[in-house]
Amino acid sequence: MLWRLLLCIIAQLHFSLSGPVDSLDSVPDLERTMYRVVDGFPCVRLLNLSGEIGCSNPGREKVVAQIVKFSNVDETIQSPAILISLDELQSFFERVAGDPDFAKNIGGVLVEAGTMVQKKLKGFSPAEKFPQAKFAPYQNINYKWNPNGSGIMWHTYNFPVFLLSENSTTTLEEAAIKNEKSKEAYSMDVADFHLVMQTTKAGTHNSESCLKERTCLPLGGYSVWSSLPPVNTSSSESPKSIVLAVASMDSASFFRDKSLGADSPISGLIAMLAAVDALSHFYDFKDFKKQLVFLVFTGEAWGYLGSRSFLHELDLHSDTVKGLDSTLIETVLEIGSIGKGFNHGVKTFFAHAAGDSLATNETLNALQHAQISLKSENIQISTASTSNPGIPPSSLMVFLKKNPQTSGVVLEDFDGAFANEFYHSHLDDISNINSTSIVAAASLVARSLYILACDKKQLSVSDLNAINVNVSLVKELMACLLSCDPGFSCGLIRSYISPSSTCPSSYVGVVTGDPSSTPHPGYSSDISRFIWNFLADRTSMWKENASSNCQQGCSDPGDMCIKSETDGKGVCVSSTTRYVPAYSTRLRFESGSWTVLPPNSSDAMGMLDPVWTESNWEVIGLRIYTRQDAAYDRLVLLGGLAITIFSYIIIVLTRAIITKTLKRD
């Protein structure tokens, strides 16, 4: 403890000579004075069966590197922390890929936030030009659905990379400028990267080895499905054909916790939730000749985990999909990226059809009928070009890969190439979409589903006109799901769940325990739990003598408890809403650990399964501080030794003089 006390005394003396500072009463006070914690979003290490992607410190220790702007990097600076702007990001990583010597000399990378630069960018997408092409149900996998795709997020980087916040960007720019101006000085500002991945420490460089050594966890979460009206599994009547409405809740990004996916796919999710709300105001569903089922997948950005798991559960006839049957699915209507369909006052969407079956044509006709009923809203819907190789990257591709006879349509805001210039980028945020476009898409979807469910030749115009989307709900969902203010602390979400964080993220996350159809709140994400509660509420049927809360359990076995997180009591509702675990179908959980199953040649999609996992870590952090040059440290040491020797000589001489004087006396 003595050295700590001396350290505080010396530091107090040093800072007091530099100017007035607050009192240093402890070592933590000293650390806060010396080190400045930097807010940022890391790129982390992900693994699959064939290798790894993403970022990590190169070894077992933290990385400390001098902060230098990209434009000022030269060979004389050893392993710098390179500060780059958004418009330099792609060219930087292209240089890393093409220049191994340059890559080896990188200590770390700091990416500026740059909101103003974002507006000037023509596009930035770290994804591939054909995302997840191997799951396509057609041969032309070289087609460029995503022209801006660079693919940089699919490479391995043995150095840490952080995206800075707005405030941190200013701090790091000042540090880089200071270092540039004081090249000959004895001190410099350095970045201290804590991004040590457990897989790097253990030398487990693929999913199979890291799962065996427990240095990683599988990507995954919980998808949600709900039916309108609720499915009566005890009924003796013949089950109805199913009209399946599909959306996704997860996205991806180069930076783990900055994956909003506003246009792709959250705009489609919001449109579906708004459509469900619009349809829920009908209290009499006797005219429904078909069963409406709403399905929200997670894990689609990582090998279509959600849709493949759902189809697998259907094959197993498990309890998670009780009441559903794959043979009853008549058509699939998927709501994809629809947030950019508003242009010059016109809301334009494209219907990408799978095949030319009767059910597919009925879905297209329903969309056209819905458009006509909304003619005053200036909405246009067109069939996608026949020159396209097929449907765009979507969950419907998995359905078609499983069963080529599947009928379905994907509703998008583009025809031959993504309208979203920031696909799977942290820049795909709320500023990248338009609420008017989402409202229009939700209106189309709600009325189209009503038309398909009623299955009538002639529909009442008054019934269609009664289906109206709540514009305020759409805007509230955008604010809740796509911004930190209010984010998950908004009233709508807090009326259903107690969120674990405020700022939303659409990253899929990892599966931390035994997958279950009734997961503990701590094992399912905030967005999954919100969607489950929202859909259960909106698709529920009113019942006489229903329990007002579910503290003592719901009276009807078919009832379920919603809003239980908010007050501990909850509300019993009659609804068919279920969680579906979403993780690789090549994995099995037993005895507290995950095992990779051998490939099954009869499972075509299982053979393609990459089995994505995420490395564990102890701590992730970034801070900066001022470090003295080694030569200066040696000079200080020599100076200290000289002063010590000189002081010793003075003491000896003084003692001799005093002793001699005392003897004379």
Side-chain angles (χ1 to χ4, degrees):
M1 293 299 294
L2 180 61
W3 70 269
R4 290 191 173 188
L5 179 61
L6 290 173
L7 185 61
C8 285
I9 293 172
I10 293 169
Q12 184 75 56
L13 176 62
H14 170 75
F15 288 118
S16 64
L17 291 173
S18 303
V21 295
D22 295 334
S23 174
L24 299 177
D25 299 322
S26 64
V27 171
D29 286 342
L30 173 62
E31 289 184 346
R32 282 191 292 271
T33 303
M34 293 176 63
Y35 301 101
R36 285 173 286 175
V37 176
V38 176
D39 295 328
F41 306 92
C43 160
V44 300
R45 177 72 83 222
L46 299 174
L47 306 94
N48 57 32
L49 291 178
S50 59
E52 53 192 0
I53 65 169
C55 316
S56 171
N57 281 15
R60 298 169 175 263
E61 304 297 331
K62 64 182 181 181
V63 171
V64 178
Q66 177 185 347
I67 302 166
V68 182
K69 283 195 171 184
F70 183 34
S71 57
N72 295 329
V73 172
D74 58 49
E75 296 178 357
T76 63
I77 304 174
Q78 291 298 313
S79 301
I82 303 175
L83 180 65
I84 61 177
S85 62
L86 278 177
D87 55 349
E88 296 172 321
L89 186 59
Q90 186 159 320
S91 61
F92 170 82
F93 280 105
E94 287 173 352
R95 181 177 173 185
V96 168
D99 189 346
D101 292 333
F102 174 70
K104 289 178 182 177
N105 192 44
I106 297 172
V109 178
L110 303 162
V111 182
E112 297 175 355
T115 304
M116 297 307 295
V117 176
Q118 175 182 350
K119 297 176 181 178
K120 299 177 183 178
L121 286 175
K122 293 182 179 179
F124 170 70
S125 172
E128 299 156 314
K129 294 189 184 298
F130 191 147
Q132 306 190 89
K134 62 184 179 181
F135 289 98
Y138 45 83
Q139 298 298 316
N140 186 3
I141 61 173
N142 294 317
Y143 187 80
K144 297 178 181 179
W145 287 106
N146 182 27
N148 289 315
S150 62
I152 62 172
M153 67 181 285
W154 297 96
H155 297 291
T156 306
Y157 304 103
N158 293 315
F159 48 79
V161 182
F162 278 81
L163 171 68
L164 303 172
S165 66
E166 292 286 350
N167 291 336
S168 297
T169 295
T170 303
T171 301
L172 269 296
E173 284 178 340
E174 291 172 353
I177 292 171
K178 174 187 171 185
N179 286 345
E180 178 65 19
K181 289 182 177 179
S182 55
K183 285 184 177 180
E184 305 302 324
Y186 290 112
S187 66
M188 66 182 71
D189 283 357
V190 296
D192 185 354
F193 297 91
H194 288 259
L195 195 68
V196 179
M197 298 285 112
Q198 292 291 332
T199 52
T200 302
K201 292 175 68 175
T204 51
H205 300 299
N206 60 57
S207 289
E208 189 163 14
S209 62
C210 73
L211 287 171
K212 184 177 181 180
E213 296 299 324
R214 301 191 181 188
T215 58
C216 66
L217 286 170
L219 294 189
Y222 288 89
S223 302
V224 179
W225 71 270
S226 186
S227 64
L228 184 69
V231 176
N232 185 356
T233 55
S234 61
S235 174
S236 59
E237 295 181 7
S238 299
K240 298 177 180 178
S241 298
I242 294 172
V243 175
L244 192 62
V246 173
S248 299
M249 68 173 87
D250 78 292
S251 184
S253 163
F254 193 91
F255 305 100
R256 181 188 191 274
D257 299 315
K258 200 68 173 173
S259 305
L260 285 173
D263 186 42
S264 309
I266 302 301
S267 64
L269 168 63
I270 294 173
M272 175 189 277
L273 297 180
V276 173
D277 175 73
L279 290 168
S280 70
H281 296 293
F282 281 87
Y283 293 99
D284 188 357
F285 298 97
K286 66 178 186 300
D287 288 337
F288 279 19
K289 296 181 180 179
K290 298 174 184 176
Q291 184 73 49
L292 288 182
V293 174
F294 303 95
L295 178 56
V296 184
F297 291 127
T298 191
E300 295 301 88
W302 302 99
Y304 295 106
L305 292 174
S307 49
R308 290 196 299 110
S309 294
F310 174 75
L311 291 174
H312 181 64
E313 297 293 333
L314 282 177
D315 288 343
L316 297 176
H317 301 286
S318 68
D319 288 342
T320 61
V321 291
K322 187 176 181 181
L324 301 182
D325 191 318
S326 59
T327 61
L328 295 175
I329 299 175
E330 182 174 285
T331 189
V332 178
L333 175 58
E334 181 169 356
I335 306 97
S337 305
I338 47 79
K340 300 179 73 67
F342 182 71
N343 188 24
H344 301 297
V346 180
K347 301 97 171 179
T348 305
F349 303 100
F350 295 89
H352 297 258
D356 191 32
S357 67
L358 176 62
T360 296
N361 289 328
E362 285 180 350
T363 306
L364 291 172
N365 290 336
L367 285 166
Q368 292 290 347
H369 194 163
Q371 175 202 351
I372 293 170
S373 73
L374 291 162
K375 58 184 178 181
S376 62
E377 301 296 325
N378 209 7
I379 298 173
Q380 292 183 3
I381 184 163
S382 303
T383 303
S385 173
T386 55
S387 64
N388 294 342
I391 62 170
S394 57
S395 301
L396 184 56
M397 289 205 313
V398 172
F399 283 79
L400 288 167
K401 196 81 171 177
K402 175 80 173 179
N403 178 10
Q405 304 306 314
T406 302
S407 299
V409 172
V410 184
L411 187 66
E412 302 277 10
D413 56 16
F414 62 87
D415 185 0
F418 293 171
N420 183 7
E421 298 174 332
F422 302 117
Y423 179 82
H424 279 186
S425 158
H426 66 283
L427 302 177
D428 187 11
D429 56 23
I430 195 169
S431 66
N432 195 38
I433 58 175
N434 187 288
S435 63
T436 303
S437 180
I438 297 177
V439 170
S443 301
L444 272 176
V445 169
R447 296 192 181 192
S448 297
L449 291 175
Y450 179 80
I451 293 167
L452 289 169
C454 289
D455 195 25
K456 288 183 179 179
K457 298 296 182 182
Q458 297 294 327
L459 280 170
S460 167
V461 175
S462 60
D463 281 349
L464 285 179
N465 289 339
I467 303 174
N468 293 300
V469 169
N470 185 338
V471 177
S472 297
L473 174 63
V474 169
K475 292 181 178 179
E476 187 175 12
L477 284 167
M478 288 175 64
C480 295
L481 301 179
L482 296 172
S483 68
C484 289
D485 184 17
F488 284 166
S489 64
C490 71
L492 177 63
I493 288 182
R494 285 199 171 274
S495 68
Y496 288 110
I497 66 169
S498 296
S500 59
S501 62
T502 298
C503 286
S505 173
S506 300
Y507 179 67
V508 61
V510 295
V511 184
T512 55
D514 189 4
S516 167
S517 59
T518 55
H520 184 275
Y523 288 169
S524 57
S525 67
D526 289 341
I527 190 169
S528 286
R529 300 197 321 280
F530 164 67
I531 292 170
W532 183 90
N533 278 270
F534 182 92
L535 289 179
D537 183 24
R538 294 303 200 271
T539 62
S540 63
M541 302 298 292
W542 181 84
K543 292 172 59 178
E544 292 186 22
N545 303 319
S547 304
S548 59
N549 66 67
C550 38
Q551 272 186 307
Q552 305 300 322
C554 300
S555 57
D556 192 317
D559 288 355
M560 57 201 327
C561 185
I562 64 172
K563 303 184 180 182
S564 60
E565 292 182 43
T566 57
D567 58 5
K569 298 178 181 179
V571 179
C572 289
V573 296
S574 176
S575 174
T576 305
T577 303
R578 304 279 187 270
Y579 286 110
V580 182
Y583 58 95
S584 170
T585 56
R586 288 278 306 278
L587 292 176
R588 180 173 60 202
F589 185 84
E590 57 184 2
S591 303
S593 63
W594 293 91
T595 304
V596 178
L597 300 173
N600 183 352
S601 58
S602 64
D603 180 8
M605 282 191 291
M607 297 289 288
L608 299 174
D609 192 340
V611 189
W612 284 108
T613 58
E614 178 186 82
S615 175
N616 300 335
W617 58 78
E618 292 180 1
V619 63
I620 288 181
L622 174 64
R623 60 185 185 176
I624 65 171
Y625 63 92
T626 301
R627 183 176 67 179
Q628 303 292 346
D629 184 78
Y632 180 75
D633 289 340
R634 288 192 290 269
L635 181 62
V636 171
L637 176 61
L638 291 174
L641 289 173
I643 292 172
T644 301
I645 294 170
F646 179 74
S647 299
Y648 178 75
I649 294 171
I650 293 297
I651 291 171
V652 171
L653 291 174
T654 302
R655 182 183 295 174
I657 293 170
I658 292 174
T659 302
K660 189 175 182 179
T661 302
L662 290 174
K663 285 182 178 180
R664 286 178 179 175
D665 292 342

